[in-house]
Amino acid sequence: MSAVAGQRAVPGDPYTVGQSPRGLVIDGQPRVLTTGAIHYPRSAPAMWDSLMKKAKLGGLNTIDTYVFWNMHEPSKGDYDFYTDRANLPLFLQTARENGLFVVLRVGPYVCAEWNYGGFPQWLRHEPDIVFRTYSAPFMREMRRFIAKVVDVTKPYMPEHGGPIIAMQIENEYGDHQRDFGHNGDLFADWCGQTAQQFNLSVPWIMCQQYYRVDGVIPTVNGFYCDQKLDKFRRDNPELPAMWTEMWPGWFQRWGEAAPHRPIEDIAYAVAKWFARGGTSVSYYMYHGGTNFGRTSGPFIMTSYDYDGFIDEYGLENWPKYLHLQALHRLLLEHEQFITGNDVPKSIKLADSDAAAAYVYGTDSDYFAFLINSDSSNSIKIKFDGLKQQLPPWSVTLVRRSKQDKQPNVLYNTAQLSKLIKRAQRHPARFETISSGLSTDNIRWQPLSQAGVPTITAKRPVEQISVTDDKTDYLWYRTNVSLPAECGSLDAAHAKTLVLHDAGDVATVYFNGEFVGMQHGQQDRLATFTFAVPPSTLRLGKENNTEVEISILSQTLGMAHNQRNMESYSRGLLGAITLCGRDITKGKWEMQPGLEGEHLPAHLQDTHAWERYDPEQQLARPQQMRWYAIELDSQMLAEQASDDEPARYAIDMASMSKGHIWINGVHLGRYWLRRAPAASDYAPCRKCTYNGAFHPDRMCRQHCGELSQRYYHLPRSYLRLPKSGDGSARVHNMLYVLEELDGHPEHISIAQRISKLPLQEPEQPRERPRCSWLLGTLATVCGAAVLVGAGTLLFKALKQWRERRGYSRIHTDDSSLAE
């Protein structure tokens, strides 16, 4: 999309950024900002250019991203801004080259369903620290990191022709400010003062900031935000109204059905925002991407697709992409009407209070929004000579120029084009390109439970204090005498091991024998109850009462949005009972991590591993294993296309739970949990666009299916043979850490397909069994029609000849018979 005449498009010469009640002011002109969030750590760098080109074609002029502290400073003072997905300067440069502005949300708290909300683990060890309040140690470290980000990003500021037009400090602090009382107020003010001390050429924002902070623009987040505008203008008459997070979808946890927000409702919310005076909208997320490695928050899936406009694999979600693309283009084409006029008063359009118009411009030259906020009924209106029926829960955009007698309808948020409806009938899909993996290419080795304990204590030690979140796993081991209650016939003595206040996942072994795995929900602690295995009870009867209990505790991401995150804890935190007897106190050994979890060189050398045999695996179920699987590189290379590079996924439906790597790159956790069936979950059974949306109440999809079956395999992390070089052999090694059980030979590779159906694909028609009869009838009917038509034509010709004086045509039965 070309820029409006006279307005800046990045990149370019130095320019200025300011602010006004009608938008951020760029080179003296207030601007409409159509913004989409794309988080650089959630996609491979090779995808960034394509994502930004598609975002721009989708009608965006700005990209929004958080800055992730724990990615950039994993240990104190050890910075990384330049490798792989941490390459923030490359991301900013890519935006500049694609003519897109950037809103850089530094935080450094980000939430984002990201592990620990973006905080690095070392931060919690700072003496006397309290996160996100007026705490000297926290403010010292926060300011130091922001200063580093400012230093790294200075070449991308407006005075250098760079794309950054705004920076954000903190994140959604209004949700927690009152929790901290007076110290919360002091901290909020400190954020504004600190931002200004950097003396940057761009404004600073604080999102979801309900209480005024000098020096920053308070912005809003939500599914709908137009209702917040009147109060915003009363409190901040000199500032632009910016919507930093418009939620067009939602995130997904393991075991949940997929969230979906109807596109008509998204367009309605956005159009209504601009109608009532908004100047900037940012979609969270435009492209969600992937939670690679261990970066997701508690129980958040590896896929962070978010039902975005561009899916996890970098392909357009066509219905959403196209419907909002049309709206974005109209908003930008009429930018000078929106930002060049004061916010108009509403004009009542009908007897109903639900119908109103907002007109930007003069009586004869304007751009207007006609709103029907009734969720059930259409409303007939007459506006400036235009008779129109407004669909329920919709906004109609109209334009009248001085040459027009009445306004022209440009767009309605509830009306979808034929192309979009066709795209809805043909959504993106996965196509399998390998039905399974050859067992000749699979090697495996068991994962040893044994190891050298790093800590011995008189009771279980809190998990994160031991692991420092460098691993999901911590072994807890103890040897106890089997209580007499385990052999009692009294039903009051349950033969169970109970773990109180544990989280997030626990896998239990008695004397090395697998007992079971249990998990909590979201980031809440849980009580886990395991039955003592019969083999252990039999040992008790034989007076061999010493039993080793091994408990593998797991975290599934650390808290990303709660108070007192510095004291967040996991592991075995409460009482532990065995057959009713408390065994919490005693000798406990703790060992963090699993053998080979960080893929050292000796693990990647798989020649000594056993060749995989499915029959042998069946004899040893519930045993943690490593699998090393060589993929068919030639098969992957053959999927390439000149139009669109192949987008690969790993189909893990045959496995249970664990982690996957490709060529040493940690792709993330996998877990094959099934979503509730529609019959058991009301949000799966209702989905309409008209009415207030919330993902916990409506429009869940893929109910009863695996929450995440396919896992993103970025093309850039593969080693593929070069075109025309069939002799070169390249290796792609997939490593799988399976915690429970699975069938790796059934792992397959799929390709993600999302094609825009320009016409309805022809459906094959089944030939009826009685087709011979139908054919005969058709022949007979056709002959009858021809005879009838011939007779009528003959009579007409006869009458015409007689009227014109031609000799009569004599007919008799004998001639017809011949």
Side-chain angles (χ1 to χ4, degrees), residues 324-345:
L324 274 297
Q325 177 194 58
L327 176 58
H328 301 153
R329 289 181 170 177
L330 288 170
L331 293 172
L332 294 178
E333 286 170 8
H334 298 90
E335 179 177 56
Q336 292 174 334
F337 284 98
I338 297 172
T339 63
N341 291 279
D342 293 334
V343 180
K345 293 182 179 180

Side-chain angles (χ1 to χ4, degrees), residues 748-765:
S748 61
I749 306 300
Q751 187 173 352
R752 180 72 167 173
I753 304 293
S754 180
K755 294 182 178 179
L756 180 61
L758 298 178
Q759 60 185 12
E760 197 72 44
E762 292 186 5
Q763 299 295 325
R765 297 181 179 179

